[in-house]
Amino acid sequence: METLSTAKSHGGVQGVYRHVSEATGTEMTFAVFVPPQAARGPVPVLWYLSGLTCTHANVMEKGEYRAAAAAHGLMIVCPDTSPRGPGVPDEPDNWQFGCGAGFYVDATQAPYAANYRMASYVRDELPALVARHFPADMARQGIFGHSMGGHGALTLALKNPDRYRSCSAFAPIVQPATAGWSQPAFEKYLGADPAAWRAYDATALIADGARFPGFLVDQGSADPFLTTGLRPGLLEVACQEAGIPLTLHMREGYDHSYYFISTFMPDHIAWHAERLKG
Amino acid sequence: METLSTAKSHGGVQGVYRHVSEATGTEMTFAVFVPPQAARGPVPVLWYLSGLTCTHANVMEKGEYRAAAAAHGLMIVCPDTSPRGPGVPDEPDNWQFGCGAGFYVDATQAPYAANYRMASYVRDELPALVARHFPADMARQGIFGHSMGGHGALTLALKNPDRYRSCSAFAPIVQPATAGWSQPAFEKYLGADPAAWRAYDATALIADGARFPGFLVDQGSADPFLTTGLRPGLLEVACQEAGIPLTLHMREGYDHSYYFISTFMPDHIAWHAERLKG
């Protein structure tokens, strides 16, 4: 692992790191904020998964998570959203597929299966690396994210309830298998059979029996993707039917941007802290 | 004035606007955060001046000012750091002069005098525009900034103590007339006679009799420009000799970046709020 940069911030250290990933077959860059409490021992780890077109850097620069993470003593880890590089198959003109759009799946279809293994990367490989190099208490992990990353957080949590103690999302894609901006990507990554998509669709996972202690979701009412790509009502129905507690806040007038995310970031971090430190 | 974008954030509105400036002879872009308290009447205005290479956008995206501004009910206005455009004389390879490096002076030398009038722009023209278009209480204005913008804030405050009730700075250039990254720009903007530079040098202004009720300055100890370009000790001496109260915090391990600025942003906004709302 190579350190690309570190800077003191809010009493902790915001760093950017690079390593060669076995899962993706590429170099991967990620960001870690280590809070000041880590000087006294390992701290809980909160994973933030970003949305379409993002790298690790967007939320690191605009998400405003450090103040709350330092207040609560949480480490924040921000992975990239896909493999990248000259050998990685991509559709450069398509922002909803390929680089910047890994959708947190393990692709099964050629030519994507060799690199697009973001589920394994985020769930297994990067946590192992973080456990080796940072003062992380891996017995206390939470996960959250935005949009495509909200989808990633919900599905990883539902499939790994023993791994993650807490899960929340900002404007998540709750049913990617049927949304116009994700279904084509699922087909290319996972093949034409919709049955294969269910393992990466929060509402389908719940219908198929996956459970989690509860979710916090914030959604802006002025989000241009609200009724097409995001559709939080579908998660509400799925959680109601399954008996999963869902705290869903519709936020009047907020859009899909980091101006929205940063506004409710302190609430989400406090919500995770309560569950990770309890 | 043209609205380029608006987004709800922290209960208020973060907007970006453009207008044709008489002072600079160019279009100018600036950012305004209107806090939620403005719904009940005009709010105090806090000006943030950015550093070398920046536009209005850097602090808007990375400065993390909205949470504290919304908590205290302050409007934050972020101007650009220079005129820009095809007709504006520039040295594109020089990040310490020209576009992105207006140094908040009114240039007197050809070919710069026609456009590089950032002192007049920030002190007169933009406030008049803000007063017309936003719920701003212009009787309660404060000013702060970073690096070159810290220099801008200090000098504007010292020259206009009736205009600004409060002034603070992050890592300001306190004696630009003698610093290697600013003295060449002063010579090109203001001419070869160092006497002309004193009107834009905080320590010279104080030596020449300018006064202000007090300053708050935060400076990172790991700032790579600390001992060459910034030199807060020179401001400390000038303030001591003049009897100007200076609260100078040396912040152990912090650098010159927005990771530093955002850490101490809430302290600065609280400090201004106390003086603007009292």
Side-chain angles (χ1 to χ4, degrees):
Chain A
M1 189 185 80
E2 180 188 359
T3 300
L4 299 183
S5 68
T6 61
K8 190 168 177 182
S9 192
H10 293 277
V13 176
Q14 178 64 63
V16 179
Y17 308 89
R18 185 164 56 198
H19 70 120
V20 176
S21 163
E22 203 171 301
T24 68
T26 65
E27 288 193 325
M28 293 292 284
T29 301
F30 63 100
V32 179
F33 176 68
V34 177
Q37 293 84 346
R40 299 195 299 272
V43 295
V45 182
L46 181 54
W47 296 85
Y48 183 92
L49 304 185
S50 291
L52 288 164
T53 77
C54 290
T55 69
H56 69 282
N58 302 67
V59 73
M60 179 180 80
E61 296 178 347
K62 301 194 279 190
E64 305 192 12
Y65 57 70
R66 280 174 291 275
H72 292 287
L74 303 188
M75 182 181 300
I76 310 283
V77 185
C78 308
D80 202 346
T81 57
S82 78
R84 299 173 192 273
V88 175
D90 186 24
E91 297 180 3
D93 296 334
N94 183 357
W95 64 281
Q96 299 168 343
F97 181 75
C99 291
F103 275 99
Y104 306 102
V105 304
D106 282 348
T108 56
Q109 305 299 300
Y112 308 109
N115 304 111
Y116 286 88
R117 299 182 51 78
M118 289 301 291
S120 291
Y121 177 71
V122 168
R123 186 191 60 228
D124 300 326
E125 186 179 17
L126 190 54
L129 189 80
V130 165
R132 279 201 302 281
H133 292 283
F134 296 89
D137 178 355
M138 304 308 283
R140 295 185 291 166
Q141 296 183 60
I143 190 163
F144 68 154
H146 172 236
S147 196
M148 176 182 74
H151 140 72
L154 292 171
T155 53
L156 279 159
L158 283 163
K159 294 168 80 170
N160 303 279
D162 297 336
R163 162 68 64 92
Y164 305 105
R165 280 202 205 175
S166 56
C167 175
S168 76
F170 303 101
I173 303 174
V174 307
Q175 194 173 91
T178 65
W181 60 358
S182 44
Q183 189 273 334
F186 274 31
E187 189 163 343
K188 281 181 261 195
Y189 288 137
L190 304 171
D193 181 1
W197 309 344
R198 298 184 69 82
Y200 297 107
D201 181 298
T203 60
L205 282 165
I206 293 170
D208 293 347
R211 293 295 181 266
F212 200 77
F215 301 116
L216 169 66
V217 172
D218 275 80
Q219 171 65 56
S221 73
D223 188 321
F225 307 110
L226 173 59
T227 56
T228 51
L230 303 171
R231 302 174 296 173
L234 297 175
L235 182 65
E236 208 167 17
V237 169
C239 284
Q240 272 168 3
E241 289 178 356
I244 297 176
L246 169 67
T247 304
L248 172 62
H249 297 300
M250 286 298 292
R251 301 297 191 177
E252 186 61 31
Y254 285 88
D255 64 17
H256 199 64
S257 71
Y258 284 92
Y259 297 114
F260 157 65
I261 297 171
S262 62
T263 298
F264 301 104
M265 182 63 81
D267 294 353
H268 280 241
I269 288 180
W271 194 85
H272 285 276
E274 195 180 322
R275 283 150 185 83
L276 292 172
K277 296 165 73 182
Chain B
M1 188 184 81
E2 179 188 0
T3 300
L4 300 183
S5 67
T6 61
K8 190 168 178 183
S9 192
H10 293 278
V13 177
Q14 178 64 62
V16 180
Y17 308 90
R18 185 165 58 197
H19 71 120
V20 175
S21 164
E22 203 171 302
T24 68
T26 64
E27 288 193 324
M28 294 292 285
T29 302
F30 63 100
V32 179
F33 176 68
V34 177
Q37 292 85 347
R40 300 194 298 272
V43 295
V45 183
L46 181 53
W47 296 85
Y48 183 92
L49 304 184
S50 292
L52 288 164
T53 77
C54 290
T55 69
H56 69 283
N58 302 67
V59 73
M60 179 180 79
E61 295 177 349
K62 301 192 280 192
E64 305 191 12
Y65 58 69
R66 280 174 292 275
H72 291 288
L74 302 187
M75 183 181 300
I76 310 283
V77 186
C78 308
D80 202 346
T81 57
S82 78
R84 300 174 191 273
V88 175
D90 186 24
E91 296 180 4
D93 295 334
N94 183 357
W95 64 280
Q96 299 169 343
F97 182 74
C99 291
F103 275 99
Y104 306 101
V105 304
D106 282 349
T108 56
Q109 305 299 299
Y112 309 108
N115 304 111
Y116 286 88
R117 300 182 51 78
M118 290 300 292
S120 291
Y121 176 72
V122 168
R123 185 191 62 228
D124 300 325
E125 186 180 16
L126 191 53
L129 189 80
V130 166
R132 279 200 303 280
H133 292 283
F134 297 89
D137 179 355
M138 303 307 284
R140 294 186 290 165
Q141 295 183 60
I143 191 163
F144 67 154
H146 172 235
S147 197
M148 176 181 75
H151 140 73
L154 293 170
T155 54
L156 279 159
L158 283 163
K159 294 167 80 171
N160 304 278
D162 297 336
R163 162 68 64 91
Y164 305 106
R165 280 202 204 172
S166 56
C167 176
S168 76
F170 304 101
I173 303 174
V174 307
Q175 194 174 91
T178 66
W181 60 358
S182 43
Q183 190 273 330
F186 274 31
E187 189 163 343
K188 280 180 263 194
Y189 289 136
L190 303 170
D193 181 0
W197 310 344
R198 298 184 71 80
Y200 298 106
D201 181 298
T203 60
L205 282 165
I206 293 170
D208 293 347
R211 294 294 180 267
F212 200 77
F215 301 116
L216 169 66
V217 171
D218 274 80
Q219 171 65 56
S221 73
D223 188 321
F225 307 110
L226 173 58
T227 57
T228 52
L230 303 171
R231 303 174 296 172
L234 297 175
L235 182 65
E236 207 167 18
V237 169
C239 285
Q240 272 167 3
E241 289 178 354
I244 298 176
L246 169 67
T247 304
L248 171 61
H249 297 298
M250 287 297 292
R251 301 297 190 177
E252 186 62 33
Y254 285 88
D255 64 18
H256 199 63
S257 71
Y258 285 91
Y259 297 114
F260 157 66
I261 297 172
S262 62
T263 299
F264 301 104
M265 181 64 80
D267 294 354
H268 279 241
I269 288 180
W271 194 85
H272 285 275
E274 195 179 323
R275 283 150 185 84
L276 293 173
K277 296 165 73 181

